[in-house]
Amino acid sequence: MDDVAVSAPGREACVRLDAENPLASLRDRFRMPRDVIYMCGNSLGPVPVGVPERMRRAVEVEWTDDVVRAWSSAGWHVAPERVGARIARLIGAADDEVIVADSTSVNLFKLLVAALRKNAGRKVIVVERGDFPTDMYVASGVAELLGGEVRMVRPDERAGAIDESVAVVALSEVKYRTARGYDMRAMTRAVQDVGALMLWDLCHSAGVMEIALNDCNADYAVGCGYKYLNGGPGAPSYSFVAKRHQADLRQPLTGWHGHAAPFAFVDDYAPAAGMARLRCGTSPQFSLIALEAALEAFDGVDLKAVRVRSEQLTSLFIDLFDAHLVSRGFGLVTPREVERRGSQVSIAHAEAYAIMQALLAKGVIGDLRAPDVLRFGLAPMYVRCVDVFDTVAALVEIVDGRVYERAEYRQPGKVI
Ligand SMILES: *Cc1c(COP(=O)(O)O)cnc(C)c1O
């Protein structure tokens, strides 16, 4: 990379920035995959160091020796609440406002139904075009089930679309494709000003920035366990319900684990007090245990400092983009204003698919969002400035050498 027209840090400068990083040692809390640059923590986080030993104990001690007794003796039964309390501290909630159970899609279903029942008389669910598809798909399923209506709006239409017919607005705090972020406080207020409820999806923000759900007066939230929380493939998701909504919360999946007395085995349903009523069936213990051990990577970590590092990484990527990638046919998808973006940089290119295949072959792991967006998740606890530099350098080589034209990189159908 020898473009001289625009000044951007060189590789040595990046090495220096990493040496000065006050959070540099946090990378040692992860087993980073060997011989690759990992830019995909926004899809699946790497393994935190405490997880393998904790999983071994879960199998070899708890399951092997305790067997069914482990539901009490090893605390398996209360794991959804216990792990929820750990996550609560990362998202500005009280310990008893968060519970871990099911997938994000399922939790969206439970909370959107609860919101429509709470705001009875109103029928509209507002979602935003370009948000993560499952959020919109689930909203349409809920609307069909309850005789509601989904109002799908573009960001520029949002102001006019949120009126007194709206029961609930569901939005990602940071968009998965663009990394565009919201002012959670202002948005929550605007939604509540017309009497609607606010449901935040934190999948792409929790773990990489400070989140203050209660300070912002959020009503509901969901988020996933396997992205920046590093809980492992298919890790369960969490739900947040503000204390003021818990007593009359009516979610539709009334399974036995959400019953007030699950082991009384009575015939009639009565919801548990508090967040436990969001449980449905038996929880996946190994997944919960992996997530719990993974969350230890956040012990003592100041998310304000994590956000500072995140801004440094994304700003560096954009500086390098300006210096080396604009001239090579790439467009910036992520907002330039630092306060309007999450911890990811997305860039577009007409040859995005083949470029990503070539990049993967070089050992740089990012991903593609069809048709033309290349995403790079810059997880601030382990991604280094030098990784950002090397990623951009690899993109330059791929384009300048027309590596993406090779047939092997043009075979369709790869997942990332
Ligand atoms: C990753 C993600 C999901 C994932 O949903 P699952 O049901 O856990 O597969 C949902 N919503 C958003 C915004 C996401 O980024």
Side-chain angles (χ1 to χ4, degrees), residues 53-114:
E53 175 54 25
R54 180 67 188 92
M55 294 303 286
R56 198 193 58 75
R57 180 154 57 89
V59 175
E60 294 188 0
V61 179
E62 294 169 11
W63 188 15
T64 302
D65 294 330
D66 296 354
V67 248
V68 74
R69 294 169 295 183
W71 285 104
S72 315
S73 64
W76 285 359
H77 183 66
V78 291
E81 287 84 1
R82 192 178 67 237
V83 184
R86 257 187 183 273
I87 293 173
R89 293 162 213 161
L90 301 177
I91 57 177
D95 286 4
D96 59 356
E97 288 176 315
V98 179
I99 194 155
V100 178
D102 308 313
S103 65
T104 306
S105 305
V106 173
N107 286 325
L108 278 162
F109 177 76
K110 291 187 281 194
L111 292 183
L112 285 174
V113 169

Side-chain angles (χ1 to χ4, degrees), residues 98-285:
V98 179
I99 194 155
V100 178
D102 308 313
S103 65
T104 306
S105 305
V106 173
N107 286 325
L108 278 162
F109 177 76
K110 291 187 281 194
L111 292 183
L112 285 174
V113 169
L116 282 187
R117 286 171 169 172
K118 171 93 179 184
N119 226 345
R122 296 184 179 212
K123 297 234 173 283
V124 177
I125 304 171
V126 171
V127 294
E128 206 170 83
R129 283 188 190 282
D131 214 330
F132 197 83
T134 210
D135 300 44
M136 292 181 278
Y137 302 162
V138 171
S140 76
V142 169
E144 186 180 351
L145 188 71
L146 298 184
E149 173 199 328
V150 176
R151 190 173 292 166
M152 212 184 272
V153 299
R154 288 199 316 264
D156 58 321
E157 302 165 332
R158 198 186 330 107
I162 300 176
D163 57 27
E164 316 224 314
S165 64
V166 176
V168 57
V169 177
L171 281 179
S172 292
E173 185 187 13
V174 172
K175 294 280 183 268
Y176 81 104
R177 180 188 287 270
T178 61
R180 176 169 167 235
Y182 278 99
D183 178 339
M184 186 183 268
R185 189 180 311 273
M187 187 71 205
T188 302
R189 195 177 314 121
V191 164
Q192 292 171 345
D193 277 351
V194 296
L197 294 157
M198 184 72 227
L199 192 167
W200 286 106
D201 185 326
L202 308 178
C203 281
H204 282 273
S205 48
V208 289
M209 60 180 69
E210 271 196 306
I211 297 174
L213 284 174
N214 277 330
D215 255 22
C216 297
N217 199 40
D219 296 297
Y220 310 105
V222 294
C224 86
Y226 50 81
K227 291 173 182 154
Y228 295 122
L229 299 188
N230 315 299
S237 145
Y238 53 90
S239 303
F240 158 89
V241 176
K243 198 93 105 227
R244 63 184 178 281
H245 296 311
Q246 289 182 11
D248 63 358
L249 185 94
R250 283 167 55 227
Q251 69 102 345
L253 301 179
T254 49
W256 69 302
H257 276 249
H259 194 278
F263 300 101
F265 297 99
V266 296
D267 290 345
D268 294 318
Y269 183 77
M275 292 300 283
R277 74 180 55 180
L278 279 160
R279 298 172 63 148
C280 182
T282 308
S283 49
Q285 277 311 307

Side-chain angles (χ1 to χ4, degrees), residues 310-332:
S310 163
E311 291 180 356
Q312 180 185 37
L313 290 165
T314 54
S315 297
L316 170 66
F317 198 123
I318 292 172
D319 288 347
L320 291 167
F321 167 88
D322 287 335
H324 307 292
L325 298 181
V326 179
S327 55
R328 290 178 168 90
F330 289 92
L332 185 66

